Amino acid sequence: MPGLLHLDSSADLTGSTTRALTRTFADTWRGLGPQHTVTYRDLHTDPPPHLSDAALHWAPRLRRPGETPDPAAAATQERLLAELLAADVLVIGAPMYNWSIPSTLKAWIDQVHVLGVTAPFDTREQPLAGRPAVVVSARGAQYGPGSPTAGWDHAVPPVELVLGRSLGMAVTVVSTDATLAFRVPAMAELRTTAKAELDAAHRSVIELATRLGHQSAPVR
Ligand SMILES: Cc1cc2nc3c(=O)[nH]c(=O)nc-3n(C[C@H](O)[C@H](O)[C@H](O)COP(=O)(O)O)c2cc1C
């Protein structure tokens, strides 16, 4: 049963670009057949708690004496970890908020990036190694290569670092820029480019969901 974990984090419940793109991904996935299941988590409407205790960044065996997190907080973290570890493919809606990611997505990352559990520390174990993760980014302005603001995106890079480098997942980023061109009159001249990028992003998520859905025979 190839399982998709579908996460959204946009605070826009009506016109969100990332929600539309991740929905297209999930619908394409479901369309591959009844064995293609989807677990959905809305990090905005049902936000994970902030990490309540730094000890939760470490596997229980790596905690020092006295580092005893609240059992309820540990149980919440275990549920989030189990959900991620059970997924064959992950798709995340990651809008740019203040050149970074929404705090709800950051809270989820803090919960699931655990040394000695999902990230290697005292052993080389990386249980999510090679598992596909698709990060869907939408940015109000433009940050493409060569633009004056090319280095200002602090949303996608940390997500790529955690999922890709630390957890070893196979990360693909689908991004679409200048989404505010449809709202801000001063950006109206960018609408054609923005629409073309958005259409390309929709084609990309359909292609990715189809390919990853066919590939992802469970290996566990
Ligand atoms: C709280 C907030 C902060 C934002 N900060 C930025 C920003 O720093 N840079 C930018 O280009 N766009 C910024 N935007 C615009 C969003 O990146 C843009 O609207 C994007 O499409 C949001 O994704 P969504 O459509 O999935 O909600 C911000 C939007 C919000 C709501």
Side-chain angles (χ1 to χ4, degrees):
M1 296 279 276
L4 171 70
L5 176 58
H6 170 190
L7 303 178
D8 276 323
S9 62
S10 171
D12 182 350
L13 296 178
T14 54
S16 159
T17 299
T18 55
R19 285 179 182 273
L21 289 167
T22 62
R23 192 181 317 119
T24 297
F25 188 104
D27 288 346
T28 306
W29 181 273
R30 281 189 199 91
L32 297 175
Q35 73 282 16
H36 282 75
T37 60
V38 179
T39 300
Y40 182 61
R41 181 171 285 279
D42 191 326
L43 299 171
H44 175 70
T45 59
D46 182 18
H50 288 132
L51 208 66
S52 60
D53 187 327
L56 292 170
H57 188 50
W58 302 86
R61 69 177 183 283
L62 298 173
R63 291 178 196 149
R64 293 182 300 200
E67 290 185 336
T68 48
D70 170 36
T76 298
Q77 182 183 51
E78 274 163 29
R79 275 197 298 279
L80 293 169
L81 282 167
E83 196 171 74
L84 174 60
L85 289 165
D88 295 296
V89 172
L90 170 67
V91 64
I92 305 184
M96 176 183 275
Y97 279 7
N98 297 307
W99 296 289
S100 179
I101 49 175
S103 55
T104 50
L105 177 54
K106 179 61 165 54
W108 179 83
I109 288 173
D110 289 344
Q111 293 282 356
V112 300
H113 184 194
V114 184
L115 301 176
V117 177
T118 50
F121 188 76
D122 54 337
T123 72
R124 299 170 74 90
E125 212 168 313
Q126 229 178 3
L128 291 158
R131 223 115 20 118
V134 177
V135 177
V136 176
S137 151
R139 309 181 288 198
Q142 288 181 302
Y143 301 89
S147 69
T149 47
W152 292 18
D153 182 344
H154 303 285
V156 171
V159 179
E160 277 185 301
L161 274 176
V162 172
L163 297 181
R165 179 165 287 268
S166 204
L167 274 54
M169 300 182 83
V171 179
T172 305
V173 177
V174 175
S175 60
T176 181
D177 271 3
T179 59
L180 286 177
F182 301 107
R183 179 184 186 119
V184 178
M187 292 175 71
E189 67 188 22
L190 294 174
R191 279 181 195 163
T192 307
T193 318
K195 175 76 169 59
E197 276 195 37
L198 185 56
D199 290 346
H202 271 284
R203 288 193 297 275
S204 289
V205 292
I206 290 168
E207 186 275 321
L208 278 164
T210 306
R211 181 160 50 81
L212 297 174
H214 285 311
Q215 264 173 20
S216 63
V219 290
R220 296 177 303 289

